Amino acid sequence: MTAFVDTAARSPRSMAWARRRRAFGSFCRDFSRSRSGMFGLGFLVVIIVLALLAPVLAPAWMLDVTKLLDQPRFAPPSLDHPLGTDDQGRELWVRMIWGARVSLLVGFAATAVSMIIGTVVGIAAGHFTGWTGGLLMRIIDFFLVLPSLILAIVLSVVLSRGVWTIVIAIGLTSWAGTARVVRAQTLSVESRDYIERARVLGAGHWHIIVKHLLPAVLPLVLANTTLTVGSAIIAESTLSFLGLGDATLQSWGSVLKNSMDVSAATAGYWWYVLVPGIAIVLVVLAFTLVGRAVETIVNPTLRSR
């Protein structure tokens, strides 16, 4: 029995998982040393917790204008109204908490779509040679030069209006940068000796991609993911600000659009504009801090500096 356990412990699969656990532990230790990364992560955790607890902290009836007839409109920030009220008497802090749910959902979901497409196309463009790799590179170049915001606007107008339409529009227009980075890393890995050794031993395309290329590019994909979430949140806010979002749901972009509709900036209702604007800036900054910290860890060149 002991011999069997020792043999299993020394199996290639168990050794691989042991290396991954050590690598993950080392990554966590390195990340914990980054003050900016930890600050950004802590801020994001607070925002995510508030968004998840929105039904508890701010029940849905607090957004129903028919139940807020006694609420003052355009009330400035005070003890009674911490972030002020909007043109319909709704508390801005309530709208911001509920809006965080939509903005974060779109940010994470659109980034997931973008990362999946970019990783698959990037690995394929770097691994396959000949006309296949050339065709994939031309597709990547096309999406790189195409104005992504304009394409996202077109998709949002053509498709039925809703949150998932925005997710698809952002995801389908923001993957090219990731694909370019993944392709460069794939070409670097392809030139290493163990890839050639795997080919000589009879490894097929699927084995090389899954066992060797994908684990090698995942750290860069992870670093790029944290940076892309912030861009996706900005894109969602832009589309909602332009009136292309779901009018029945709260988002930070829709709050900004409402403030524009009532000319809050020129009428002196500064809190109506600043609150959602600062929230977007802080969340995007937090994702950027986390992304830079992760990029510093996974990129040996930056880590050496």
Side-chain angles (χ1 to χ4, degrees):
M1 183 66 181
T2 305
F4 176 79
V5 174
D6 293 341
T7 302
R10 292 194 297 270
S11 65
R13 185 180 298 273
S14 63
M15 293 173 63
W17 279 108
R19 287 196 300 268
R20 291 167 186 169
R21 286 193 295 268
R22 289 195 298 269
F24 180 74
S26 176
F27 171 83
C28 292
R29 288 191 298 272
D30 292 338
F31 186 87
S32 63
R33 298 190 186 102
S34 173
R35 294 183 179 179
S36 60
M38 291 298 295
F39 174 79
L41 180 62
F43 182 80
L44 291 177
V45 169
V46 172
I47 297 298
I48 293 173
V49 170
L50 290 176
L52 293 176
L53 295 178
V56 178
L57 299 176
W61 65 264
M62 298 183 71
L63 295 172
D64 189 354
V65 295
T66 62
K67 298 180 180 180
L68 303 174
L69 300 179
D70 296 332
Q71 281 280 90
R73 299 182 177 183
F74 296 118
S78 62
L79 292 178
D80 294 330
H81 311 287
L83 296 180
T85 62
D86 63 4
D87 57 304
Q88 295 181 337
R90 293 172 293 185
E91 294 284 351
L92 273 185
W93 70 268
V94 175
R95 297 191 65 185
M96 294 304 297
I97 291 179
W98 280 94
R101 295 167 68 92
V102 174
S103 296
L104 291 177
L105 172 62
V106 173
F108 285 121
T111 300
V113 174
S114 174
M115 291 300 104
I116 292 173
I117 298 176
T119 302
V120 172
V121 176
I123 290 179
H127 176 71
F128 295 102
T129 58
W131 68 270
T132 303
L135 176 62
L136 291 175
M137 272 306 302
R138 300 293 77 78
I139 295 175
I140 294 174
D141 292 338
F142 172 77
F143 276 92
L144 280 175
V145 301
L146 193 68
S148 58
L149 180 59
I150 295 178
L151 181 57
I153 292 174
V154 172
L155 290 175
S156 299
V157 172
V158 172
L159 301 176
S160 59
R161 188 169 299 181
V163 172
W164 294 110
T165 298
I166 295 181
V167 170
I168 294 173
I170 297 174
L172 292 181
T173 57
S174 59
W175 59 268
T178 301
R180 193 82 182 213
V181 173
V182 171
R183 177 183 178 271
Q185 180 67 8
T186 301
L187 291 175
S188 175
V189 176
E190 285 273 356
S191 63
R192 298 176 184 174
D193 294 337
Y194 67 87
I195 299 294
E196 185 64 28
R197 188 180 303 113
R199 287 198 181 96
V200 172
L201 293 175
H205 294 298
W206 181 256
H207 177 86
I208 292 176
I209 291 175
V210 174
K211 296 294 184 180
H212 300 296
L213 297 181
L214 187 59
V217 303
L218 278 182
L220 285 179
V221 173
L222 175 62
N224 202 37
T225 297
T226 53
L227 296 173
T228 306
V229 174
S231 301
I233 291 176
I234 293 178
E236 184 278 329
S237 300
T238 303
L239 294 176
S240 297
F241 180 77
L242 295 175
L244 300 176
D246 191 342
T248 63
L249 297 176
Q250 300 292 330
S251 74
W252 293 343
S254 64
V255 176
L256 280 175
K257 181 182 184 304
N258 296 151
S259 68
M260 180 193 68
D261 293 339
V262 297
S263 303
T266 57
Y269 310 131
W270 52 268
W271 60 90
Y272 205 171
V273 180
L274 285 183
V275 170
I278 292 176
I280 294 172
V281 170
L282 291 179
V283 169
V284 173
L285 176 61
F287 275 110
T288 302
L289 293 177
V290 174
R292 293 305 180 190
V294 174
E295 187 179 22
T296 302
I297 296 172
V298 302
N299 192 330
T301 304
L302 296 177
R303 185 167 49 191
S304 63
R305 294 178 184 177

